[in-house]
Amino acid sequence: MEELAEHGITLPPNMQGLTDEQIEELKLRDEWSDKCVPSGGMEFKKDELGRRNGHAPNEKMKHVIKKTIEEAKALISKKQVQANICINAKMVKEALDQLRGAVMIVYPMGLPPHDPIKQEFEEKEDLSGTHAALQVIEDSDAQLWWAGKELQQTKKLADYVGKNEKTKLVVKIQKRGKGAPAREPLISEEEQKQMMMYYYRRQEELKKLDENDDSFLDSEWADSNALKRQCQGVKNIRWRPR
């Protein structure tokens, strides 16, 4: 959806990744570019990856898509857990409906059949051979893991953690046969950043203190033999001619 807002609809599969010269040489034409025109006209913004035709929506329509993306993400965000809101299939469907509505507003003529956004809305997208396919786990192949233990479907959570309703579990889904997933880090990424910043600032402060100590030692009043030389009258003696 973000790519759609920035660079327009997807090019036909036989044109993706080709340069303008190659397209011209092969005499290829995107017949969908004239049919799927964004409302209010388009602004050309070339897709450097060569996947989309560069006919992007204008700023107003782009704002409609991006605002809807933010609303959909907020609807299924992890922050819902902190607000004690359980995400269910109905909420996911509502988020998809919001995205589908935004596309209909910006592209009233619809998207080309090969655009992955249209395929996803119609549940026809083929993920085979892609990295995204690794994130899809069928119900029959899914396993739930917690604290290095597989949660059996025939048992209840109370069998593992007791009946305290305030107990929080971080459960991961893993493909059957893959073994236990990697454990959660002891500290979050944000906490790690804060710790690194703190130790960096502390290190800089210690460096400044060391520099100040060195400057004090070089001072005349810090010389432990200054009083002795003054009493002996040998202060400011130079062994070489000026």
Side-chain angles (χ1 to χ4, degrees):
M1 292 283 290
E2 292 173 348
E3 292 177 0
L4 178 68
E6 291 293 336
H7 304 291
I9 62 173
T10 304
L11 289 166
N14 63 338
M15 295 177 62
Q16 293 184 21
L18 300 180
T19 63
D20 295 338
E21 292 77 10
Q22 290 172 326
I23 292 175
E24 185 177 353
E25 183 179 349
L26 295 172
K27 298 180 179 179
L28 300 176
R29 182 175 177 274
D30 181 11
E31 59 184 27
W32 293 96
S33 62
D34 296 333
K35 300 177 183 178
C36 305
V37 179
S39 297
M42 68 89 177
E43 298 176 357
F44 186 76
K45 189 173 182 182
K46 186 176 181 179
D47 181 9
E48 297 299 332
L49 298 177
R51 294 183 57 198
R52 296 184 174 271
N53 67 359
H55 297 177
N58 60 28
E59 285 298 324
K60 183 178 179 180
M61 293 295 104
K62 186 186 298 184
H63 178 71
V64 171
I65 294 178
K66 291 195 171 184
K67 182 180 179 182
T68 307
I69 291 174
E70 293 177 1
E71 293 173 352
K73 283 183 176 180
L75 197 60
I76 58 173
S77 170
K78 293 180 180 179
K79 293 181 180 179
Q80 296 282 46
V81 177
Q82 301 172 0
N84 294 325
I85 298 175
C86 181
I87 299 175
N88 51 36
K90 183 180 179 181
M91 295 173 67
V92 175
K93 183 179 181 301
E94 183 180 345
L96 284 171
D97 289 341
Q98 289 181 356
L99 296 172
R100 187 182 290 108
V103 171
M104 291 179 64
I105 292 173
V106 180
Y107 289 89
M109 300 299 293
L111 299 176
H114 53 267
D115 196 301
I117 297 173
K118 181 179 178 65
Q119 294 175 356
E120 180 66 30
F121 287 154
E122 298 177 353
E123 298 185 3
K124 296 179 180 179
E125 186 177 12
D126 183 13
L127 297 176
S128 57
T130 65
H131 179 72
L134 302 176
Q135 301 176 357
V136 179
I137 302 177
E138 298 293 337
D139 293 346
S140 58
D141 292 335
Q143 289 178 316
L144 292 178
W145 289 81
W146 168 75
K149 300 176 182 177
E150 181 187 352
L151 304 182
Q152 302 293 336
Q153 294 185 3
T154 56
K155 293 185 178 182
K156 297 180 179 180
L157 285 177
D159 298 332
Y160 296 96
V161 297
K163 297 184 178 181
N164 186 349
E165 295 181 356
K166 294 184 179 180
T167 302
K168 177 183 176 181
L169 302 182
V170 178
V171 180
K172 289 192 173 183
I173 301 176
Q174 186 81 335
K175 198 169 185 178
R176 191 176 300 278
K178 294 288 186 180
R183 289 180 176 270
E184 288 286 310
L186 296 177
I187 59 175
S188 66
E189 185 178 354
E190 183 61 29
E191 289 173 335
Q192 187 178 12
K193 288 181 181 178
Q194 294 297 329
M195 289 175 62
M196 291 178 66
M197 290 174 60
Y198 169 78
Y199 286 118
Y200 175 76
R201 288 196 299 266
R202 182 61 178 164
Q203 188 177 16
E204 292 298 314
E205 290 174 359
L206 291 175
K207 283 182 180 179
K208 290 181 179 179
L209 287 174
D210 289 340
E211 292 174 358
N212 291 336
D213 288 344
D214 292 340
S215 63
F216 294 153
L217 292 174
D218 293 337
S219 300
E220 183 178 349
W221 57 265
D223 187 357
S224 59
N225 296 318
L227 180 61
K228 179 181 176 180
R229 285 198 300 269
Q230 186 174 4
C231 293
Q232 293 176 346
V234 292
K235 187 179 180 182
N236 296 329
I237 293 178
R238 296 180 182 274
W239 301 102
R240 293 182 180 178
R242 296 182 179 178

